[in-house]
Amino acid sequence: MKIKKVVFPVAGHGSRFLPATKATPKEMLPVVDKPLIQYAVEEALDAGFTDLIFITGKTKRAITDHFDQSLEISANLTEDKKQLFQQMNNIIPSHASCIYLRQGEPLGLGHAILQAKPVLGDEPFAVVLADDLIDAEKGVLRQMVENYDDNQSSLISVQKVAKQDASQYGMIATNDNKLNMQKLTNIIEKPHPNEAPSDFGVVGRYIFSNHILSFLEKTNPGAGNEIQLTDAIKSLLQEFPVYAYHFDGVRYDCGDKLGFIKANIELALKNKVFGSELLDYLKKRLASWG
Ligand code: UTP
């Protein structure tokens, strides 16, 4: 079955990024010149998704505005500006549509996804966490859709994480260490580094069979007193196959200040207009430190 629906949970507190996120959504923070959520949406469009479901909440209005055709193209604009405004008004192509749902209170990622149930029907769907920015030649969602097509089982993206960071991730166990797609046997939310079942942690790209929703409905608050997606995945994999997918690409945790700054530097260095000037600047700066 072709997957059309993708859920963007964007209703979280963004507390690791205060004060920037007090009144501005974390997902609207720009990496170079584009908000995080736009990178995520473009990745989903490139992978063929057409139904873009945003789970928004308090202080998240700017996300809705961003995808509106809100720039007025008045006659007195220069031709260059008219073109630019036109482009900005057409971030979402006409074959795709945005659906905005509210999470009244940020009770956890699992709870956010559950808000999409009324529009998900019984189809498989993807979930993208916009604060995980992944720089990849082929978008990670596209990589995952191709693998889902072959195999029709839930897929979660994973990467190797440093042992001391295990307590920031959902950490997985699999039955095989060789392939880039392995069957999950266990998953634990934010374990103590000594209790992590492997070196691999989950990052924010998922494709789920619809069964996940009934497990989410039965999931009680877990770590941080939030309804954790990880706990529902743990129940899902007892009854249905779930695979870990090792993607090609570099992921930046842009929900974290340092990760966000790294993403800005790396993507700015790739910028065609000012990348080489930035590199010269950084080299001079480093030289001045001896
Ligand atoms: P995070 O745990 O990174 O987001 O959730 P957070 O809670 O906003 O951040 P901190 O930990 O307080 O800094 C990953 C994604 O899930 C969304 C967030 O908006 C983010 O995009 N989310 C999280 C929700 O939509 N609702 C929630 O209840 C929790």
Side-chain angles (χ1 to χ4, degrees), residues 187-259:
I187 183 166
I188 307 175
E189 182 66 13
K190 300 187 170 71
H192 184 279
N194 294 336
E195 277 150 29
S198 74
D199 299 338
F200 292 96
V202 178
V203 306
R205 301 290 184 278
Y206 312 80
I207 294 180
F208 288 117
S209 70
N210 195 267
H211 304 292
I212 190 73
L213 295 174
S214 51
F215 292 102
L216 276 170
E217 280 174 321
K218 287 181 251 163
T219 301
N220 293 317
N225 206 25
E226 294 189 344
I227 296 177
Q228 296 288 353
L229 176 59
T230 302
D231 295 340
I233 296 173
K234 194 180 177 114
S235 308
L236 178 71
L237 63 84
Q238 316 288 326
E239 291 184 39
F240 298 95
V242 179
Y243 287 85
Y245 177 68
H246 297 254
F247 56 89
D248 286 328
V250 181
R251 171 256 187 181
Y252 300 96
D253 178 4
C254 291
D256 169 79
K257 290 173 191 171
L258 182 59

Side-chain angles (χ1 to χ4, degrees), residues 9-16 26-27 55 60 103 106-109 112 129 131:
V10 292
H13 289 294
S15 51
R16 282 171 295 153
K26 168 171 69 177
E27 298 79 7
I55 311 298
K60 301 288 181 164
Q103 184 187 22
L107 299 177
L109 175 58
L129 308 187
D131 51 357

Side-chain angles (χ1 to χ4, degrees), residues 42-54:
E42 288 176 354
E43 187 183 322
L45 290 168
D46 172 68
F49 290 89
T50 54
D51 301 7
L52 316 175
I53 304 162
F54 298 82

